[in-house]
Amino acid sequence: PPRPMKESLRTLASLASVYSGLTALGRRFGNRDGAIILYGHRVSDDHEGYLAGLKPEWLDAQLAYLGKHYRFLALSELVGYLERGEKVPERSVVITFDDGFRDNYTHAFPLFKKHQVPATIFLTTGCLDSGQLPWSQRLGCLFQQTTVPSLTHSLTHNLPLPLQSPQERKSAYNTVKDPIKKMGRTERETVLTELEGLWETQAPVDRMMTWDMAREMTAAGMEMGAHTVTHPLLANLPEDEAREEMLNSKERLREELGFERPAFCFPAGSRTPQLIELAKTLGFRSVFDSNRQTRINKFPAVDSFHLSRLGLPEASAIHLEAELDGVFHCIRTLFNS
């Protein structure tokens, strides 16, 4: 079904799950012997760069729900239980955010403190160094801001793509993004700079956290992980480039924040078994290897290099309640068992 219809059906199912008492039964009788890991990106009421934000009021309500019915764990605590082969506390939840957007500091950090959440932020270190957005959001901003009527470029096979409506610009963005995501850092940067010059526009450079912000969050009990230097899809890169992206991001975390063995997060989940082994070799403490079959992290079902996580819904807390304790969880558990 079209996206608006799917969202409406999802909302109706969530409401029915909560108000019928199904989620209350799920909390009472459901198996929660382990930890759920949840993740988000931006905490903002917009879709800048074609990356949807999670409204602060939604995150506030979601954390309130989780704090009432779950136990917050730091990612390092969960990894510690798994490394020691110990039972993970029941109904535990770990909160993570990717990329290091400044709204994680301005909007989410106060909520983490309010709800006593030891969240982990995975930093794209080059973006903190330069202020630039991760490349896909940077590209998205260029398409959202441009006023030119069409784009003719080698990436479009020299065929003109119309850019006169928001829908046309979003479609053109997706067309151009596909070949760019397979590029290495130098080629990708050349294309972005070329488009900026061609359209005489530039993505904002004040949307990412600074290292001082990261230090303040760390001092308050938050954890920082590595998310590469420039946010490439690592599985598309030669091994030496992938290694450089991973190792250099780890070194920047050590230099700026003192983390010796941080967790690592593959951008867009782009990974291979070889890259997971490389993360071990480089001295990272954990990585995500998410799959639909594993929703709850516990020993011995997962280890610290095969953690699984779920996205925070860009919606009200009712959606999260239905996802974790209601019909959605039951259906997925049934089909994945």
Side-chain angles (χ1 to χ4, degrees):
R3 183 177 176 84
M5 184 184 298
K6 288 174 68 175
E7 291 302 317
S8 296
L9 291 172
R10 184 179 179 83
T11 298
L12 287 172
S14 298
L15 289 168
S17 186
V18 171
Y19 289 111
S20 68
L22 281 175
T23 54
L25 288 172
R27 286 192 297 272
R28 184 172 181 182
F29 298 109
N31 176 21
R32 291 293 186 274
D33 186 16
I36 290 172
I37 306 174
L38 299 169
Y39 73 92
H41 291 88
R42 302 178 57 239
V43 183
S44 185
D45 188 11
D46 62 58
H47 288 65
E48 185 174 70
Y50 299 121
L51 181 60
L54 173 59
K55 293 181 182 180
E57 58 266 31
W58 286 348
L59 178 60
D60 189 13
Q62 289 175 6
L63 295 179
Y65 177 79
L66 293 170
K68 183 176 180 181
H69 299 291
Y70 288 79
R71 168 180 173 171
F72 288 116
L73 281 184
L75 180 59
S76 63
E77 288 183 282
L78 170 60
V79 170
Y81 284 112
L82 296 174
E83 288 174 340
R84 294 187 299 270
E86 295 178 4
K87 181 180 177 180
V88 176
E90 292 182 1
R91 297 190 67 82
S92 297
V93 63
V94 176
I95 302 297
T96 66
F97 275 80
D98 292 357
D99 300 329
F101 290 104
R102 187 170 297 193
D103 53 49
N104 289 190
Y105 173 80
T106 57
H107 295 153
F109 185 31
L111 298 176
F112 295 154
K113 290 189 287 188
K114 173 183 175 182
H115 297 284
Q116 298 181 296
V117 179
T120 297
I121 314 295
F122 288 96
L123 303 176
T124 307
T125 58
C127 295
L128 271 68
D129 289 332
S130 69
Q132 291 276 16
L133 286 163
W135 71 266
S136 56
Q137 282 76 57
R138 182 178 166 195
L139 179 69
C141 284
L142 298 181
F143 275 91
Q144 287 177 330
Q145 294 171 1
T146 187
T147 56
V148 301
S150 65
L151 169 66
T152 303
H153 193 276
S154 59
L155 291 172
T156 71
H157 305 289
N158 292 314
L159 298 172
L161 290 180
L163 302 173
Q164 293 183 306
S165 70
Q167 293 78 15
E168 288 175 340
R169 288 195 290 274
K170 178 69 179 294
S171 176
Y173 161 77
N174 286 325
T175 298
V176 170
K177 179 183 175 183
D178 194 54
I180 292 179
K181 69 184 181 184
K182 300 179 177 67
M183 295 178 179
R185 181 193 309 183
T186 302
E187 188 180 6
R188 188 173 64 241
E189 181 62 31
T190 298
V191 170
L192 288 168
T193 303
E194 186 178 286
L195 288 175
E196 287 173 343
L198 186 66
W199 291 344
E200 296 183 346
T201 187
Q202 189 175 28
V205 291
D206 62 350
R207 299 296 197 263
M208 305 305 293
M209 285 166 49
T210 65
W211 287 110
D212 282 342
M213 292 173 184
R215 272 185 279 275
E216 183 183 341
M217 295 181 76
T218 301
M222 306 302 121
E223 297 180 355
M224 300 292 152
H227 199 42
T228 72
V229 177
T230 67
H231 207 272
L233 301 188
L234 290 179
N236 292 335
L237 298 184
E239 184 181 345
D240 59 336
E241 282 189 48
R243 180 187 181 92
E244 182 184 359
E245 285 278 348
M246 296 168 72
L247 182 59
N248 288 354
S249 65
K250 180 174 181 284
E251 285 300 299
R252 289 299 287 137
L253 280 182
R254 182 185 60 79
E255 292 165 358
E256 294 287 348
L257 304 174
F259 287 100
E260 295 290 342
R261 290 193 65 214
F264 182 77
C265 178
F266 294 104
S270 178
R271 65 197 183 277
T272 63
Q274 292 76 22
L275 287 170
I276 292 175
E277 288 301 313
L278 179 59
K280 294 180 184 179
T281 302
L282 294 177
F284 289 103
R285 192 177 179 191
S286 65
V287 300
F288 299 107
D289 189 24
S290 302
N291 62 76
R292 286 185 172 272
Q293 282 68 42
T294 305
R295 291 167 60 82
I296 299 175
N297 297 269
K298 59 183 178 180
F299 182 84
V302 302
D303 61 38
S304 55
F305 286 88
H306 296 86
L307 300 174
S308 196
R309 61 181 188 161
L310 313 170
L312 283 164
E314 290 149 11
S316 67
I318 283 178
H319 287 71
L320 182 64
E321 180 176 352
E323 177 67 49
L324 298 187
D325 293 316
V327 63
F328 301 126
H329 177 79
C330 293
I331 290 172
R332 290 190 178 94
T333 301
L334 178 65
F335 281 101
N336 292 327
S337 59

